């Protein structure tokens, strides 16, 4: 059994959305304020914490701003119930097959000022679930742990206890406890004892001999020691944040300890959802992947049939919210759910009235309401549900490395062939095309630049442009590609134009023709820069990299047409394009005289329009 | 009986340790609850995670008693999940009706407890008949039930009877569309599930994976439909323990039929049929006497008196009274006998088939007001303050809540439970107000002087507390009734309390006085001696239930004409019975 679907209605940044989840691991990716945490919180509100101690409750402010009526509703659908689960969750099943269960929560604040009680319901008739059945589905919430020291001081010794246990290895807990226990034979204790005893003697003289001893409990358990670990460390002149273990930060340890504690307890539930928020906030990049890998493996293991087939299944499902490209690069694309904030489509609910006659504006419509842009809402695009073929998907998985997976974060995306374009474009935009156009330059800056190291744009374009329930990952997609005229015979169609035609057709097929702009040159970046009249400054840069090659440069640039293109390509064969572009960018930034090739100017304008 | 001292008999041990299904016949005082508790302990000892036991019974009171007992023994967690404890109806509702709904209806099904009381009136001025008089499947009128409600089918034209059936079916359809089901309708829906092989198979597999055992207590109160469901569970591989005393079946109005139970018992192989014949409650004479109250064909031998009173030789007493009516001297004589035997008179009831004859025997005038609202209010107030237990108290609270809603004119055409369901009213929202009203209305001669004074106070209080929206006054709605004097009791006299037979089911008392009347005892004895007239079978079983409550002293008040005959009959298996004329 696993959480397959979450429905949110008027909940925080969500107006109405359906989010789907994978059986093992789902990673929610997207920009900040996109709504990832709201999804995690919805799951936290809908299920019981594994430890039983709820830290999140429904509040009036959870109702989407401006929503009427003043209520929100969450529901979670679970798929793949086994017969024992069907028996325990019968009151929540949604069909006669019994294979799916649903729990929901309705928070209705209509006409109430305070004390709104959320109503928990289950099943297809939204009836009250059988008491206790709801607790068979649990969650563990791993918050972004930004302050390890504070978390340690929060007075919950179980985490440190688990941490100690985790590293106990072969050691006998009794022995460790003994060696860590505070000694009671320190001189200061003896001195205090003596002083107290003297005073006591005077007070009680002649009545009855009294003994007094200061010391510590001699049979401290590991848990007691854990409770005091903080003081222990201080005794040894170590502050917790200094503690290093196997090269990892203390926060990492604490984090792993938390997971270890929680994993122990998942067996008594049918399903435990591990909700991991921003693991990048406290884990080294390599550990992020390691921890998730570990959790995913545990999730995989938990699906194995148990000896006792009627026992609670103890399944594990991992849901991660991140804006770190590391994780989205590391997991298969079908595990990714892209979360973003979009302006809702204009509501056409007055369509029945026909066009409004002039001057007949309804008095109930305050004019400023019409002026106000619609409030953005969170939407989700599960990559698993996009219309992609398996080969497409494999390509995307292969291509989405750390740098490229950033493309899943942006509403405006610029895809270029190589690093040179990616380095040059921002400089050109800032100093030339968008110079003195600050607002548009800000828009330009918010866009994501992805050099795809090649010309296979189609899988990216598919992923970015495929609509899911009316939303797509990209708001604007601009692709810059080379015409590569010099590689084909005269009269043949340019390879770049062919690519453009294919991509345009793809976009049209996805209904995204107006989202995509493809800017194609005739030859390639360097040739086009020369053609635009930048030969002089390019030559300086080239000679800086190849001091001996002035003749070669002059020779090549002096040519014309296809010949020049071929020669320039030849020139750059042994030139690191990145280095060249970087140096050229410096020149371009400084020089008023830099000439921007037309297709680059078009691309920049298209990206900010 | 503390846990340490409990040494099960061989019969008891055989049931406690029995793993598979079983049909258990338990005599009165057999320590049935103890055996079930021990069976539960045995089951829970090694119960794997996620598995539970379903405990079912047939009345709220019986469920409450079993649940209390299991909780006292620390055998039930809270919430009971994944175990289940509740009435058979609630089990059927929870697992066969609520998750699936009603076919062809998208609304949430809701169980409306009093739907059976909604009236069917096919035409203006028709004799109103409750919905319970009509078969939930076919819609046909149950002639015997209708006759009890004053409608004799044999005297009516066929088209009129048909009109009733049509009206009842239409009413049920309307209710069904709104998802409103009574117990009978819910059971009909449950049977549809059980008869849908594919779905029933899935439900059975789900339940079998969850419940280690299903224990059905008080199964004598099953009706044939309930037995169908139980058989299905058993066929599906769930171990089912059916525990009953067929002689104590007194809910024939629920459709419970003893014959079905006997043939159901026959479907169990011999090693799955168990008996509990050791009576830990009563004296040997009582055991012998009550054996004579079983039907001739099933009489058997008396149960063994095994309890602390097994050596008590006190005889069973018959109080022979003259005259047609039930005299108050019965109560006096009963109290005298108790005092002689050293039994606290307040601990024992006078039990009769009806409230009225019990009250008459106890010397308490009982109101003739019947359904009069003011009387119902006064009775509920009295019942609340002298409630014998939590269940009685709850009933009184609910009754007053309903009266308050009637006074406010809120119910309209709807039944009380329909109103609650339609408006999603939770007990928590009204209970404290009703309780405070009940407390304020307690009859106290010092303040109210008499019933008139109480009536005035009640009107004033309710006028303050209620909002009457339909323009009538409280005086119009809460009229004076002469029966009010009798309905209000100040302090219970130091005398035996009158109880109905249904209300003492499952209880035990040091002494019991069973009141029989001239109109019924003769034919009951005819039935016990010859098996005819067969329609007296249930009256005989009621007599059996009432008499078997007694631990030490069983007194039966009988009309003089039948007293000696009764004595002779009761002595049939060696009981010592004496007759005293009063």
């Amino acid at each position: 059994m696993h959480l397959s679907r979450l429905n949110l209605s008027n909940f925080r940044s969500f107006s109405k959305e359906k989010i789907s989840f994978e059986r093992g691991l789902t990673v929610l990716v997207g920009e900040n304020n996109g709504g990832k945490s709201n999804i995690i919180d919805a799951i936290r509100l809908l299920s019981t914490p594994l430890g039983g101690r709820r830290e999140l409750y429904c509040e009036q402010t959870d109702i989407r701003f401006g929503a009427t009526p003043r209520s929100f509703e969450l529901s979670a659908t679970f798929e793949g119930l086994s017969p024992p689960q069907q028996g325990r969750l019968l009151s929540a099943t949604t069909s006669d097959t019994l294979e799916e269960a649903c729990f929901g929560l309705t928070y209705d604040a209509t006409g109430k000022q305070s004390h709104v009680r959320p109503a928990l319901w289950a099943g297809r008739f939204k009836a009250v679930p059988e008491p206790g059945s709801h607790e068979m589905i649990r969650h563990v919430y791993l918050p972004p742990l930004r302050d390890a020291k504070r978390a340690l001081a929060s007075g919950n010794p179980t985490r440190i206890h688990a941490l100690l246990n985790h590293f106990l290895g072969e050691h006998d807990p009794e022995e460790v406890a003994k060696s860590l226990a505070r000694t009671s034979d320190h001189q200061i204790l003896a001195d205090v004892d003596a002083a107290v005893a003297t005073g006591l003697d005077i007070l009680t003289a002649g009545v009855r001999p009294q003994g007094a001893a200061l010391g510590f409990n001699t049979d401290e358990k590991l848990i007691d020691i854990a409770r005091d670990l903080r003081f222990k460390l201080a005794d040894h002149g170590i502050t917790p944040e200094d503690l290093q273990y196997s090269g990892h930060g203390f926060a990492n340890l604490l984090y792993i300890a938390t997971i270890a504690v929680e994993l122990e307890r998942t067996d008594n539930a049918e399903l435990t959802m591990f909700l991991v928020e921003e693991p990048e906030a406290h884990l080294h990049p390599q550990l992020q992947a390691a921890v998730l890998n570990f959790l995913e493996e545990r999730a995989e293991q938990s699906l194995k049939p148990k000896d006792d087939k009627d026992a609670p299944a103890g399944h594990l499902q991992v849901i991660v919210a991140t804006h770190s490209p590391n994780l989205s690069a590391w997991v298969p694309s079908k595990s990714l759910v892209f979360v973003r904030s979009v302006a809702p489509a204009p509501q056409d609910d007055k369509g029945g009235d026909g066009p409004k006659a002039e001057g007949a504006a309804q008095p109930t419509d305050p004019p400023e309401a019409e002026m106000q842009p619609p409030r953005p809402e969170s939407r989700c695009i599960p990559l698993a549900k996009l219309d992609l073929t398996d080969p497409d998907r494999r390509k995307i998985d292969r291509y989405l490395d750390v740098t490229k997976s950033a493309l899943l974060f942006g509403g405006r995306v610029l895809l270029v062939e190589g690093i040179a374009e990616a380095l040059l474009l921002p400089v050109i935009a800032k100093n030339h095309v968008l110079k003195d156009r600050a607002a548009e330059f800000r828009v330009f800056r918010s866009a994501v630049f992805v050099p795809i190291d090649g010309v296979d744009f189609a899988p990216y374009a598919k992923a970015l442009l495929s609509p899911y329930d009316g939303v797509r990952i990209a708001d604007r997609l601009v692709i810059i590609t080379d015409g590569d005229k010099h590689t084909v015979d005269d009269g043949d169609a340019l390879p770049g134009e062919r690519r453009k035609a294919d991509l345009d057709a793809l976009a049209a097929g996805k209904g995204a023709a107006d989202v995509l702009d493809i800017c194609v040159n005739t030859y390639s970046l360097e040739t086009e820069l020369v053609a635009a009249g930048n030969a002089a400054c390019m030559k300086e840069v080239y000679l800086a990299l190849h001091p001996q090659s002035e003749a070669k440069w002059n020779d090549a640039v002096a040519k014309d047409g296809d010949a020049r293109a071929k020669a320039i390509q030849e020139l750059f064969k042994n030139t690191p394009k990145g280095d060249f572009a970087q140096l050229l960018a410096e020149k371009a930034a400084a020089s008023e005289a830099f000439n921007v090739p037309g297709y680059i100017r078009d691309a920049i304008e298209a990206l900010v329009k | 009986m503390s846990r340490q001292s409990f040494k099960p008999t061989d019969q008891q041990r055989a049931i406690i340790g029995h793993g598979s299904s079983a049909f258990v016949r338990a005599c009165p005082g057999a320590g049935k609850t103890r055996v079930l508790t021990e069976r539960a302990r045995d089951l829970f000892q090694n119960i794997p995670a996620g598995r539970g036991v379903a405990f079912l019974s047939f009345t709220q009171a019986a469920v409450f008693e079993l649940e209390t007992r299991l909780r006292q023994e620390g055998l039930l967690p809270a919430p009971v999940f994944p175990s289940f404890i509740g009435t058979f109806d609630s089990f059927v509702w929870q697992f066969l009706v609520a998750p699936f709904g009603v076919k062809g209806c998208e609304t949430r099904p809701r169980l409306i407890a009093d739907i059976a009381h909604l009236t069917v009136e096919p035409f203006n001025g028709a004799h109103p008949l409750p919905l319970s008089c009509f078969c939930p499947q076919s819609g046909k009128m149950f002639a015997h039930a209708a006759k009890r409600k004053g409608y004799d089918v044999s005297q009516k034209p066929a088209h009129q009877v048909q009109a009733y059936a049509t009206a009842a079916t239409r009413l049920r359809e309307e209710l069904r569309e709104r998802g409103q089901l009574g117990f009978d309708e819910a059971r009909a829906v449950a049977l549809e599930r059980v008869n849908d092989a594919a779905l029933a198979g899935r439900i059975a597999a789900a339940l079998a994976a969850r419940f280690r055992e299903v224990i059905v207590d008080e199964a004598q109160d099953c009706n044939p439909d309930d037995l169908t469901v139980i058989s299905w569970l058993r066929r599906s591989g769930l171990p089912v323990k059916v525990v009953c005393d067929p002689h104590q079946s007194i809910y024939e109005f629920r459709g419970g039929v003893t014959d079905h139970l006997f043939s159901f018992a026959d479907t169990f192989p011999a090693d799955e049929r168990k008996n509990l014949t050791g009576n830990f409650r009563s004296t040997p004479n009582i055991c012998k006497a009550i054996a004579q109250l079983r039907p001739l064909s099933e009489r058997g031998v008396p149960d063994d008196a095994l309890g602390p009173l097994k050596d008590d030789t006190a005889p069973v007493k018959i109080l022979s009274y003259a005259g047609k009516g039930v005299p108050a001297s019965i109560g006096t004589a009963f109290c005298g006998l108790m005092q002689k035997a050293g039994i606290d008179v307040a601990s024992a009831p006078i039990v009769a088939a009806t409230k009225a004859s019990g009250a008459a025997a106890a010397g308490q005038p009982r109101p003739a007001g019947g359904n009069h609202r003011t009387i119902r209010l006064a009775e509920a107030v009295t019942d609340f303050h002298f409630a014998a237990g939590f269940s009685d108290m709850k009933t009184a609270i609910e009754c007053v809540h309903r009266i308050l809603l009637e006074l406010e004119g809120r119910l309209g055409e709807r039944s009380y439970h329909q109103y609650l369901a339609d408006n999603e009213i939770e007990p928590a929202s009204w209970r404290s107000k009703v309780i405070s009203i009940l407390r304020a209305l307690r009859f106290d001669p010092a303040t109210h002087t008499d019933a008139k004074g109480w009536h005035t106070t009640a009107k004033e209080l309710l006028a303050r507390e209620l909002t009457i929206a339909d323009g009538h006054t409280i005086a119009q709605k809460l009229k004076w009734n002469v029966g009010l004097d009798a309905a209000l009791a100040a302090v219970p006299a130091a005398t035996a309390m009158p109880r109905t037979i249904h209300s003492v089911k499952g209880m035990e008392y040091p002494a019991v006085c069973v009141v029989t009347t001239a109109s019924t005892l003769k034919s009951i004895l005819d039935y016990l001696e010859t098996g005819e007239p067969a329609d007296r079978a249930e009256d005989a079983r009621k007599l059996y239930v009432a008499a078997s409550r007694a631990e030490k002293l069983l007194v039966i008040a009988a009309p003089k004409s039948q007293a000696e005959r009764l004595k002779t009959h009761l002595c049939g298996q060696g009981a010592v019975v004496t007759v005293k004329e009063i």
Side-chain angles (χ1 to χ4, degrees):
Chain A
M1 183 177 84
H2 75 281
L3 171 68
S4 61
R5 218 166 53 239
L6 188 67
N7 282 64
L8 309 177
S9 170
N10 281 337
F11 179 68
R12 299 200 194 159
S13 59
F14 288 91
S15 159
K16 194 161 187 60
E17 186 59 303
K18 190 173 83 188
I19 303 141
S20 52
F21 296 87
E22 292 297 301
R23 188 155 114 147
L25 170 72
T26 305
V27 177
L28 307 168
V29 293
E31 63 211 357
N32 273 330
N33 294 321
K36 301 186 298 285
S37 303
N38 294 341
I39 296 174
I40 297 281
D41 282 355
I43 300 172
R44 291 173 68 197
L45 288 171
L46 269 170
S47 55
T48 312
L50 185 64
R53 200 152 119 184
R54 185 169 278 287
E55 282 163 354
L56 187 74
Y57 297 88
C58 295
E59 289 181 41
Q60 300 241 9
T61 47
D62 292 335
I63 304 170
R64 179 168 158 81
F65 187 82
T68 44
R70 302 277 303 138
S71 67
F72 71 81
E73 185 166 282
L74 314 172
S75 70
T77 305
F78 302 88
E79 265 179 28
L81 274 67
S82 65
Q85 291 171 334
Q86 292 164 10
R88 286 183 284 264
L89 302 179
L90 198 60
S91 68
T93 53
T94 58
S95 76
D96 286 2
T97 65
L98 308 184
E99 281 163 4
E100 191 184 84
C102 175
F103 286 100
L105 186 149
T106 303
Y107 182 90
D108 190 350
T110 319
K112 288 173 195 148
Q113 290 309 310
S114 56
H115 304 301
V116 186
R117 235 178 27 178
L120 180 74
W121 49 264
R124 61 178 120 166
F125 298 109
K126 296 190 171 186
V128 179
E130 185 182 358
S133 63
H134 178 244
E135 277 76 52
M136 296 310 288
I137 296 165
R138 301 273 182 158
H139 74 258
V140 171
Y141 174 60
L142 301 174
L145 189 65
R146 296 201 171 80
D147 187 348
K149 201 168 144 195
R150 234 182 77 191
L152 185 55
S154 73
N156 182 352
T158 49
R159 287 181 175 181
I160 306 167
H161 182 226
L163 189 149
L164 286 176
N165 261 332
H166 190 80
F167 293 103
L168 211 51
E170 299 292 303
H171 300 288
D172 175 26
E174 298 288 319
E175 283 299 309
V176 175
K178 211 175 271 172
S179 73
L180 280 174
R182 282 163 284 210
T183 49
S184 50
D185 54 1
H186 195 280
Q187 186 55 43
I188 190 165
L189 293 180
D191 291 349
V192 174
D193 274 358
V196 172
T198 313
L200 207 61
D201 279 350
I202 296 165
L203 273 173
T204 59
V207 184
R208 185 152 61 106
Q210 292 279 338
L214 255 184
F216 299 110
N217 197 346
T218 48
D219 57 341
E220 281 181 307
K221 291 279 180 304
L222 210 52
I223 185 95
D224 302 318
I225 294 170
R227 192 175 286 117
D228 285 339
L229 180 66
R230 214 157 52 89
F231 302 113
K232 286 278 171 205
L233 294 172
D235 285 347
H236 291 272
I238 301 170
T239 51
E241 63 267 41
D242 290 338
L243 180 69
Q244 296 287 315
Y245 199 96
S246 357
H248 305 312
F250 185 76
N252 292 333
L253 281 181
L254 194 56
Y255 197 77
I256 292 162
T258 309
I259 295 172
V261 174
E262 304 290 4
L263 278 173
E264 299 289 312
R265 298 190 275 190
T266 55
D267 268 0
N268 288 326
E270 303 287 2
L271 173 70
T272 304
M273 296 169 286
F274 259 73
L275 310 173
V276 189
E277 201 166 356
E278 291 183 34
E280 62 269 26
H282 45 89
L283 287 181
H284 297 309
Q286 77 270 26
L287 260 186
Q288 292 173 27
V291 165
L292 285 202
N293 201 1
F294 168 70
L295 279 177
E296 203 191 9
E297 268 169 27
R298 290 294 294 251
E300 200 64 43
Q301 269 173 32
S302 75
L303 296 179
K304 283 190 190 139
K306 291 187 159 183
D307 295 342
D308 180 357
K309 65 174 176 55
D310 292 343
H315 284 177
L316 207 67
Q317 186 177 4
V318 184
I319 297 163
V320 182
T322 181
H323 43 62
S324 153
N326 289 307
L327 289 174
S328 39
W330 170 76
V331 298
S333 64
K334 71 166 179 51
S335 296
L336 295 176
V337 173
F338 177 74
V339 187
R340 58 169 310 197
S341 179
V342 297
Q347 295 221 328
D348 203 20
D349 52 2
K350 287 186 187 125
D353 297 345
K356 252 188 229 169
E358 263 179 72
Q362 289 170 8
T364 45
D365 259 332
E368 57 267 25
E370 285 171 24
M371 308 290 284
Q372 210 122 79
R375 216 180 152 70
E377 61 181 50
S378 297
R379 298 298 303 271
C380 295
I381 306 172
L383 267 64
K385 305 269 177 199
L386 287 189
D387 181 21
L388 296 171
T389 62
D390 282 347
D392 284 344
R393 214 174 272 289
R394 276 197 295 277
K395 264 186 195 165
I396 291 171
D397 284 346
R398 208 160 56 231
Y399 292 169
L400 282 181
D401 60 19
V402 172
T403 44
K404 288 178 212 130
S405 64
L407 68 83
L408 295 175
F409 290 80
R412 288 165 195 271
V413 181
L414 178 66
L415 298 181
V416 295
E417 291 187 8
I419 187 74
E421 285 92 345
L423 284 167
L424 270 170
L425 251 83
V427 176
I428 294 173
K430 183 177 179 188
N431 297 291
H432 302 278
V433 181
L434 299 177
K435 193 180 179 190
D436 303 324
R437 289 160 69 187
E440 280 159 307
F441 182 65
R442 271 200 297 280
V443 173
F444 180 84
R445 282 277 297 272
S446 74
V448 178
F449 289 72
V450 183
I452 69 157
D453 295 321
V455 292
D456 193 6
F457 291 102
Y460 299 104
K462 251 191 207 177
L464 290 167
L465 298 178
S466 289
Y468 173 75
D469 203 9
V471 222
R472 40 177 75 85
I473 297 176
D475 288 333
R476 288 220 59 71
L477 174 60
V478 177
I479 295 174
I480 299 180
T481 186
D482 291 336
D484 292 333
K485 183 170 182 298
H486 53 285
T487 62
V488 293
D489 294 334
D490 275 345
D492 283 2
L494 300 190
E497 290 296 341
R498 278 208 309 272
R499 285 199 285 275
K500 176 171 159 52
D502 291 348
L503 290 167
D504 277 336
L506 186 151
K510 303 279 182 200
D514 56 336
V515 177
L516 175 68
D517 283 282
I518 304 165
C519 301
V520 194
N521 57 26
T522 315
Y523 295 104
S524 63
L525 175 66
E526 292 76 12
T527 312
E528 299 299 331
L529 283 170
V530 169
N534 299 307
C537 79
M538 288 173 74
K539 182 177 170 184
E540 275 180 53
V541 175
Y542 187 79
L543 293 184
L545 293 170
H546 304 282
Q548 312 295 322
S549 303
E550 185 170 6
K552 253 167 90 181
W553 174 269
N554 287 341
D555 194 36
V557 172
K559 293 184 179 173
D560 207 7
D562 289 2
R564 179 168 71 182
K566 275 184 186 151
I568 290 176
Q569 278 316 111
E570 204 56 38
L571 280 179
F572 281 90
K573 245 184 190 155
N574 295 317
T575 307
K577 285 195 173 186
D579 293 354
F580 179 82
Q582 199 166 7
L583 292 170
L584 186 64
E586 282 168 22
K587 296 264 179 216
S591 161
E592 286 284 332
F594 187 82
N595 296 309
V596 182
Y599 78 99
I600 289 182
R601 183 179 298 276
D602 291 347
I604 291 169
E605 294 288 359
L607 191 61
V608 301
K609 83 178 169 196
Chain B
M1 224 184 318
S2 74
R3 194 190 154 190
Q4 283 74 23
S5 71
F6 179 65
K7 288 194 188 68
T9 62
D10 290 347
Q11 284 180 336
Q12 289 175 329
R13 195 175 298 113
I15 293 161
I16 293 168
H18 186 78
S20 58
S21 291
F23 187 92
V24 180
R25 287 176 70 155
C27 75
K32 194 179 54 152
T33 308
R34 162 58 68 185
V35 170
L36 291 185
T37 313
E38 292 308 318
R39 174 69 194 142
R41 196 190 310 281
D42 198 65
L43 280 164
F44 282 125
Q45 214 128 52
N46 300 307
I47 200 151
R51 258 56 58 86
V53 180
F55 300 93
L56 315 180
S57 193
F58 285 83
T59 58
Q60 292 287 359
V63 170
F64 181 76
E65 199 205 320
L66 183 61
E67 187 174 354
T68 308
R69 187 68 173 272
L70 289 168
R71 285 204 194 285
Q72 278 168 355
E73 300 278 338
L75 292 171
L76 273 190
V80 296
F81 183 88
S83 287
F84 179 91
I85 184 160
T87 59
F88 193 83
D89 282 326
S90 69
F91 179 84
V92 162
W93 180 261
Q94 173 101 53
F95 296 108
L96 290 170
V97 181
F100 308 97
V102 180
K103 239 181 223 152
C105 167
E106 287 304 306
T107 43
R108 173 167 78 214
R110 280 178 306 185
L111 189 61
I112 311 288
D114 55 3
I115 257 183
H117 303 320
L118 287 177
T119 50
V120 178
E121 291 178 71
F123 49 90
N124 272 340
H127 180 92
L129 282 178
L131 195 54
S132 56
C133 289
F134 302 88
C135 171
Q137 276 105 352
S138 67
K140 277 181 71 179
M141 192 188 285
F142 295 130
H144 55 281
K147 196 171 181 181
R148 264 204 293 266
K149 296 289 172 188
Y151 186 89
D152 189 349
V153 179
S154 59
Q155 306 293 311
K156 306 284 177 181
H159 70 268
Q160 197 186 84
V161 177
Q162 183 55 42
Y164 268 102
T166 310
T169 305
R170 202 181 309 126
L171 176 59
R172 279 208 171 97
E173 273 166 11
E174 280 169 27
L175 293 167
R176 216 174 142 110
E177 260 162 46
R178 287 153 65 191
Q180 298 188 338
L181 307 173
F183 292 114
D184 295 334
E185 291 79 9
R187 215 176 293 111
V189 171
L191 287 180
E192 286 172 27
R193 303 272 177 275
V194 171
N195 292 329
D196 173 346
L199 179 55
R202 284 193 290 274
I203 300 174
L207 295 179
R210 170 170 167 182
F211 294 117
R212 277 273 147 134
E213 187 160 307
V214 178
I215 295 175
V216 186
D217 192 12
E218 306 284 353
Q220 69 273 10
D221 299 328
C222 277
N223 64 30
D225 291 347
D226 297 334
L227 286 177
T228 307
V229 174
I230 295 173
S231 304
W232 164 69
L233 289 171
R234 187 170 149 236
R235 266 201 323 275
S236 309
L238 274 111
V240 182
K241 294 271 186 323
V242 178
V243 184
C244 64
D245 181 351
H247 303 303
Q248 293 192 50
S249 168
I250 54 170
Y251 280 99
E252 203 142 272
F253 59 78
R254 209 181 158 267
V257 176
T258 347
D259 291 346
H260 285 86
L261 199 61
F262 288 126
S263 49
F264 177 65
D266 292 340
T267 66
F268 286 78
D271 63 332
E272 288 189 352
R273 266 176 282 165
K274 310 273 178 189
N275 289 302
L276 287 174
T277 55
N279 183 331
F280 290 86
R281 177 185 297 156
S282 309
T283 62
N285 275 327
I286 295 176
C287 289
K288 288 173 194 158
I290 59 176
Q292 285 293 97
L293 296 174
R294 297 176 194 153
L296 187 58
S297 57
E298 293 279 336
R299 190 151 293 156
V301 294
D303 302 320
D304 301 324
L306 298 176
L309 296 171
K310 64 177 189 286
D311 299 322
D312 193 300
T313 55
V316 171
K317 300 255 169 35
I318 293 174
L319 297 177
S320 162
Y321 64 86
K324 278 216 151 135
V326 172
S329 53
I330 294 173
T332 324
F334 179 44
C335 288
L337 287 173
M338 281 195 282
Q339 275 154 0
K340 226 186 271 169
I343 297 168
D344 175 13
V345 292
S347 68
I350 295 177
V351 182
T354 64
K355 252 184 171 180
S357 52
Q364 294 181 6
R366 217 42 199 180
N371 249 343
H372 192 274
R373 186 181 292 143
T374 315
I375 300 290
R376 279 195 287 134
L377 178 66
E379 283 183 338
V381 169
T382 307
D383 288 349
F384 175 78
H385 288 288
F386 304 116
F390 178 68
S391 301
D392 291 359
M393 214 176 240
K394 227 172 100 184
T395 310
I397 293 169
E398 217 168 70
C399 174
V400 169
H401 182 230
R402 182 185 161 169
I403 293 170
L404 298 185
L405 291 174
E406 286 172 11
L407 289 171
E408 291 190 316
R410 289 186 190 277
L411 298 183
E413 293 285 292
R414 287 169 298 193
S415 78
Y416 170 63
H417 285 282
Q418 261 182 317
Y419 174 79
L420 295 188
D422 283 351
N423 296 286
E424 305 199 334
I425 295 171
E426 299 287 331
S429 68
W430 52 263
R431 221 178 239 168
S432 39
K433 182 180 175 181
V434 171
I435 289 176
S436 68
I437 286 175
L438 272 164
R439 292 208 189 287
L441 286 180
R442 179 179 186 149
F443 178 65
D444 175 9
T447 25
H448 302 116
T449 318
D450 55 15
K452 274 237 151 49
W454 179 87
H455 182 230
T456 310
T457 315
K459 280 190 292 183
E460 283 167 7
L461 176 85
L462 294 177
R464 259 197 324 275
E465 294 285 337
L466 304 181
T467 323
I468 299 176
D470 57 6
H472 293 280
T473 64
I474 188 81
Q476 287 169 309
K477 294 197 158 203
L478 205 64
K479 288 188 181 135
W480 168 256
N481 185 289
V482 284
L484 213 49
D485 270 315
L488 292 165
V491 188
T495 176
M497 278 292 284
R499 305 284 305 257
T500 65
I501 293 172
H502 284 99
S503 76
V504 297
K505 199 168 167 285
M507 316 288 283
E508 54 187 16
Y509 304 95
V512 169
C513 173
V514 186
V515 180
T516 62
T517 60
S519 61
T520 56
L521 184 59
K522 182 183 174 298
S523 48
I524 291 174
L525 287 171
D526 290 347
Y527 168 75
L528 288 172
E529 286 166 6
T530 66
E532 291 293 334
D535 63 358
R536 284 295 162 192
E538 178 154 326
D539 286 328
R541 288 196 296 269
K542 282 185 188 168
L543 199 54
Y544 180 80
V545 169
S548 59
R549 303 303 98 199
E551 295 168 358
K552 198 172 177 180
L553 176 62
L554 172 59
V555 178
I556 300 175
K560 198 171 177 184
S561 59
Q562 300 296 324
E564 280 303 326
R565 188 177 166 208
L566 176 64
K567 179 190 166 183
T568 313
H569 182 73
L570 293 183
C571 294
Q573 297 203 58
V576 180
V577 182
T578 60
V579 178
K580 184 183 172 191
E581 298 211 5
I582 53 169

